[in-house]
Amino acid sequence: MIDELLGEMKTGEIALIEYEPTSSPEMAFHRIVEHFLERDVPVLVVDVLDTLHTFNEHLKRRGLHLPVEKLTVVKEGGRIKLGNVIGEVFIPSEPSEFTYHQVQYSKTVRPFFEADERPKAIIVLGMEKFILPFQNDLRKVEMYFEIIERPLIAPGGKYTFLFINRAVANEYVLKNLEGEKHYVVELSGEARVTKTPFSLLQIESGLLLVEYGSKDHPELVLGSAIDDLGAGNVLVVDVADTGMVVGKHLETMEWDVEEQPRVVKIGGRVEWGKTIATLDVYNEPAVFLRKLDGILKGESPKVVLYFGMERIPRFHRDPARIILTIANRAAAELTAPYSAVYLINRDVAPPELRGLLEETAEGVIAFRDGGFEKLKG
């Protein structure tokens, strides 16, 4: 799973690595270092209170060599120096010290980043030790995020990894970190990626299922599709005005959409976008779905977003048969010349339809706590 994460990450992205104290975070650290050094990417380790020493000793006992001589290191507290230490920065405990800490840190690492044009990797070890002195004072925590943590979100030519011990950091700190990072990896036994950025550019063809709850924002997927691929390459299948509501929410968010996507309506009363066809949801689904296939063949979109397919069985007296019809057609889209993305509301979807689509889809992504969790693929 760590290798999959490393293969997906782009410069400017941040991964939060959460670990249990009885797990082996040093193994993930070793793999990250190995990955970037093999690719001639300079690695900067921010070592809080000798966490690098702890990881290195654990690796030695496993018979693994960590090439510390190739690591640039900034010490934040602690006594044991490993690697090429370019400076020491104090650990602040009061908000009045946060800004000075940032100035000192920036001055220390500037030569590392300005040395050449290559991308860089930053690995922060021992975040929980940095935050521990003030984590139970929420005012100080908020100031920490404002002054120290959030500036890291700014894009740049670097990959960033933050290691944190879940048993030490409190829930408020963890949830804030999780909400603001591109990736979240949990180390408890095997590594598990529980949050990943969503981009339709990652979908070349085949079938993706996106599950969302009634309080989530599926309009983010529509906005991402338009931004990534251009509205002219996106076709929306809107069942019973579900897509229309999503589109209106996107407008409310003041998303900068210069062009509207093409829309095929299946039922519903309100047209939006560039409506190119309207199909009767009360007709036999096998009939209107064949018509839909003909429309898609003629339109040649790059991606098709389905909103509200979970509603179709509700319009018919034999929902089980309709569920099988929808799932069977979805299976055929595995070899379609476009990417098919089914967005279903898990709070109202028939569990049978959800289960069949999860089995069929090559990838399954779920909205979780304001981000995305990859469940499959």
Side-chain angles (χ1 to χ4, degrees):
M1 191 60 75
I2 292 295
D3 284 333
E4 181 180 338
L5 167 70
L6 293 169
E8 289 184 4
M9 278 190 75
K10 301 179 180 65
T11 55
E13 293 184 332
I14 306 173
L16 178 68
I17 315 290
E18 301 179 0
Y19 61 90
E20 299 295 336
T22 53
S23 64
S24 301
E26 65 274 4
M27 298 297 290
F29 170 65
H30 183 269
R31 180 68 194 108
I32 293 168
V33 169
E34 185 179 57
H35 172 87
F36 286 109
L37 292 182
E38 286 174 350
R39 289 158 178 78
D40 195 33
V41 175
V43 176
L44 172 70
V45 176
V46 179
D47 178 19
V48 181
L49 289 171
D50 296 335
T51 308
L52 175 60
H53 167 68
T54 300
F55 280 18
N56 188 46
E57 290 302 310
H58 289 176
L59 288 169
K60 286 180 182 178
R61 284 156 176 74
R62 289 176 174 270
L64 294 173
H65 172 66
L66 181 69
V68 292
E69 69 281 357
K70 297 181 180 179
L71 303 179
T72 301
V73 178
V74 174
K75 290 289 295 179
E76 300 234 3
R79 301 178 179 183
I80 302 173
K81 296 181 179 180
L82 291 177
N84 176 27
V85 177
I86 59 172
E88 299 183 42
V89 182
F90 78 105
I91 299 176
S93 58
E94 294 295 329
S96 59
E97 300 170 336
F98 288 169
T99 299
Y100 179 70
H101 170 275
Q102 280 303 84
V103 171
Q104 189 181 12
Y105 173 81
S106 298
K107 182 179 179 180
T108 301
V109 301
R110 186 175 296 116
F112 171 80
F113 288 105
E114 294 180 351
D116 54 55
E117 297 298 320
R118 290 178 294 174
K120 310 294 192 299
I122 307 175
I123 307 174
V124 180
L125 301 181
M127 275 198 71
E128 72 285 348
K129 301 172 188 175
F130 187 99
I131 298 171
L132 180 61
F134 55 84
Q135 71 171 354
N136 292 319
D137 186 329
L138 297 188
R139 181 184 67 88
K140 293 181 181 179
V141 170
E142 288 298 336
M143 295 184 72
Y144 160 78
F145 275 95
E146 179 183 357
I147 298 171
I148 295 179
E149 187 61 35
R150 290 196 181 107
L152 289 173
I153 296 174
K158 59 184 181 292
Y159 307 86
T160 304
F161 301 84
L162 311 176
F163 279 75
I164 190 164
N165 185 331
R166 288 181 60 90
V168 179
N170 69 23
E171 190 72 7
Y172 187 79
V173 168
L174 284 174
K175 290 302 180 184
N176 274 281
L177 287 170
E178 290 171 351
E180 297 184 0
K181 306 314 173 195
H182 302 90
Y183 294 87
V184 177
V185 180
E186 295 181 5
L187 302 181
S188 181
E190 294 185 358
R192 188 166 67 98
V193 178
T194 58
K195 179 182 178 183
T196 180
F198 183 82
S199 173
L200 289 167
L201 289 175
Q202 299 172 3
I203 309 165
E204 296 178 359
S205 62
L207 179 65
L208 173 72
L209 176 64
V210 179
E211 301 176 355
Y212 64 93
S214 299
K215 295 180 180 179
D216 291 320
H217 297 277
E219 59 269 19
L220 296 176
V221 179
L222 176 60
S224 174
I226 293 172
D227 284 352
D228 289 351
L229 302 172
N233 293 312
V234 177
L235 190 147
V236 175
V237 176
D238 177 13
V239 178
D241 287 336
T242 307
M244 179 275 295
V245 172
V246 170
K248 294 300 181 183
H249 284 177
L250 194 65
E251 292 178 8
T252 303
M253 292 174 66
E254 297 184 352
W255 201 289
D256 186 16
V257 178
E258 296 182 359
E259 184 182 358
Q260 294 291 333
R262 291 164 288 173
V263 178
V264 175
K265 298 282 293 182
I266 300 179
R269 301 185 180 186
V270 182
E271 292 191 0
W272 66 284
K274 295 180 179 179
T275 301
I276 59 174
T278 301
L279 305 176
D280 190 347
V281 72
Y282 292 99
N283 280 349
E284 168 60 38
V287 174
F288 67 67
L289 291 176
R290 273 199 302 271
K291 292 181 180 178
L292 175 61
D293 289 337
I295 294 169
L296 297 181
K297 184 176 181 180
E299 292 292 326
S300 301
K302 285 188 177 180
V303 63
V304 179
L305 303 181
Y306 292 90
F307 289 97
M309 294 295 281
E310 70 275 12
R311 298 178 181 274
I312 292 178
R314 315 293 192 194
F315 288 91
H316 298 272
R317 293 182 178 179
D318 189 359
R321 182 175 61 84
I322 307 307
I323 287 171
L324 291 172
T325 299
I326 295 171
N328 187 58
R329 179 181 177 276
E333 288 184 298
L334 289 169
T335 55
Y338 53 82
S339 300
V341 182
Y342 282 70
L343 294 102
I344 65 168
N345 185 333
R346 60 175 172 263
D347 294 339
V348 300
E352 299 86 354
L353 177 61
R354 180 179 172 186
L356 288 169
L357 289 176
E358 286 178 340
E359 178 185 10
T360 303
E362 295 167 300
V364 180
I365 294 175
F367 277 80
R368 290 282 191 272
D369 299 322
F372 296 98
E373 178 181 354
K374 183 183 291 186
L375 303 181
K376 177 182 177 182

